[in-house]
C-alpha cells in the first residue's frame, strides 16, 4: 500500500481508529509505532506530525472513548426517575454494542493508573448514576441503602452483562435465543432485578 504523502485530518482519523482497535483488543502495551505505521500504511513521521508522540496518541485514544461515551449516555431528567435510571443502563449497553473496540479502552486498566485518575475517567459514568439513584431515593421509589451501594450494584450488573455479551458468551454459552428470548429482553430483566431489593 502506498503511503499517504499528506499528514492531514483524514490520516489522523485513520491512525486514531487503528490505535483504538489495537488498544481495545490487546491493551495499551500493544500499541507500538512500528505496528501502527504498518497497519495504517504510513510512517512514524506522520504520527509525530499529527500527534507529537505515541503517548499523545494514546491519550487521544482515551479521550475519544471518554467523549464518545459521555455524549451517548446523557439522560435528561424526567418525572420518572426510575425510568431515567433504566435508560442510563440501556444507553450504556447500546454505546458498548455500537463501539465494541472503545468499550475496553474506556474501562480497561491503563498504564500508571491511580485512584485519582480512575475517579476522573469514570466520572461520566458514576456521577450521573449516583444522581439518578438519589432521585429515586428522594422520590421514595427506592429505600434502605446508601446511593453508592445501589449504584455499585447497578453498575456491576450492567457492566458484567455487557462484557459477557461483547465477548460472545451470552449468545454461545447459555440457552435462550433459540427459545425466542433476546439479549435485550435478558437485559431488561436484569435492570428490573437489580433494583428489586431496594424497591420501596
Amino acid at each position: 500500500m502506498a503511503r499517504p504523502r499528506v499528514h492531514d485530518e483524514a490520516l489522523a482519523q485513520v491512525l486514531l481508529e487503528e490505535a483504538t482497535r489495537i488498544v481495545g483488543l490487546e491493551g495499551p502495551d500493544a500499541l507500538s509505532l512500528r505496528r501502527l505505521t504498518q497497519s495504517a500504511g504510513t510512517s512514524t513521521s506522520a504520527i509525530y506530525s499529527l500527534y507529537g508522540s505515541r503517548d499523545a496518541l494514546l491519550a487521544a485514544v482515551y479521550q475519544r472513548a471518554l467523549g464518545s461515551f459521555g455524549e451517548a449516555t446523557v439522560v435528561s431528567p424526567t418525572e420518572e426517575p426510575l425510568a431515567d435510571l433504566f435508560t442510563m443502563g440501556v444507553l450504556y449497553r447500546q454505546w458498548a454494542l455500537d463501539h465494541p473496540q472503545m468499550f475496553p479502552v474506556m474501562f480497561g486498566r491503563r498504564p500508571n493508573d491511580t485512584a485519582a485518575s480512575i475517579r476522573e475517567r469514570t466520572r461520566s459514568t458514576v456521577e450521573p448514576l449516583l444522581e439518578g439513584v438519589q432521585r429515586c431515593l428522594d422520590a421514595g421509589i427506592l429505600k434502605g441503602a446508601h446511593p453508592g451501594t445501589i449504584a455499585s450494584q447497578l453498575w456491576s450488573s450492567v457492566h458484567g452483562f455487557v462484557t459477557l455479551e461483547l465477548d460472545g458468551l451470552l449468545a454461545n454459552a447459555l440457552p435462550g435465543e433459540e427459545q425466542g428470548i433476546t439479549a435485550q429482553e435478558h437485559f431488561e430483566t436484569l435492570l428490573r432485578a437489580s433494583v428489586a431489593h431496594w424497591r420501596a
Side-chain angles (χ1 to χ4, degrees), residues 34 59 65 148 180 183:
R34 180 179 180 182

Side-chain angles (χ1 to χ4, degrees), residues 93 96-100 103-104 161-169:
R93 174 176 177 259
L97 295 178
D98 290 342
H99 305 283
F103 183 76
F161 184 99
V162 170
T163 300
L164 290 171
E165 185 175 15
L166 289 179
D167 288 346
L169 299 181

Side-chain angles (χ1 to χ4, degrees), residues 124-137:
S124 60
T125 300
V126 174
E127 289 186 356
L129 180 56
L130 286 170
E131 291 170 3
V133 169
Q134 187 61 61
R135 289 182 63 228
C136 289
L137 290 169

Side-chain angles (χ1 to χ4, degrees), residues 48-95:
Y48 290 122
S49 173
L50 292 166
Y51 290 99
S53 67
R54 173 195 175 277
D55 288 346
L57 174 57
L58 187 58
V61 168
Y62 290 144
Q63 188 58 43
R64 177 187 183 223
L66 182 63
S68 175
F69 177 85
E71 291 175 6
T73 56
V74 171
V75 176
S76 299
T78 70
E79 297 299 317
E80 301 291 338
L82 186 59
D84 295 344
L85 202 58
F86 285 177
T87 298
M88 289 181 196
V90 169
L91 293 177
Y92 189 107
R93 174 176 177 259
Q94 190 58 56
W95 179 83

Side-chain angles (χ1 to χ4, degrees), residues 143-155:
K143 66 176 184 180
H146 186 277
T149 301
I150 300 174
S152 65
Q153 172 68 44
L154 290 172
W155 189 14

